[in-house]
Amino acid sequence: MSEQSLPSRTVTPDLVRHVARLSRLALDESHVARYAGQLQSILGYVTKIGEVDVSDVEPMAHAAPLHNVLRDDAVSPPLPREKVLQNAPEIDGPFFKVPKIIGGDEDSAG
């Protein structure tokens, strides 16, 4: 994006109100001037970024090189039932015991 394509626009209180309305934000009038200054500052930084020569920079999705850190799926023998259940808060025989969610008292009256 060249510097000429970046709009040099002053952020006015009316523009802040317009953006707030488009964003469906209820904006308190006491904050309009402060937000105008903050948005003008942000646009200044965007303009600075637009001045950087990035013609030799290859497009990327992330600044750091990423790779899949997960291990490959491999078939292995299952854990013994006792080991699986050892950290369960409650068990009922060979099963995990969990609170009833569906089919409670109010569902069974009928």
Side-chain angles (χ1 to χ4, degrees):
M1 189 180 257
S2 69
E3 190 175 338
Q4 288 84 16
S5 64
L6 291 173
S8 61
R9 184 174 193 178
T10 302
V11 179
T12 63
D14 286 337
L15 181 62
V16 172
R17 287 184 202 96
H18 179 70
V19 170
R21 186 180 59 78
L22 291 175
S23 304
R24 298 177 186 248
L25 296 173
L27 192 58
D28 187 49
E29 198 59 35
S30 64
H31 293 101
V32 170
R34 185 174 83 188
Y35 291 157
Q38 289 174 347
L39 288 171
Q40 189 68 49
S41 177
I42 291 168
L43 289 178
Y45 285 117
V46 170
T47 301
K48 279 186 180 181
I49 291 169
E51 294 171 0
V52 175
D53 179 22
V54 294
S55 58
D56 293 334
V57 177
E58 190 174 325
M60 62 181 111
H62 198 277
L66 296 177
H67 61 281
N68 191 354
V69 295
L70 302 175
R71 64 174 171 75
D72 290 332
D73 285 340
V75 177
S76 61
L79 292 173
R81 182 173 291 146
E82 297 76 29
K83 188 162 180 103
V84 171
L85 295 173
Q86 75 183 7
N87 291 324
E90 288 188 63
I91 58 172
D92 183 9
F95 305 107
F96 290 100
K97 191 171 185 179
V98 296
K100 193 174 206 176
I101 297 172
I102 299 175
D105 293 337
E106 63 278 351
D107 290 341
S108 59

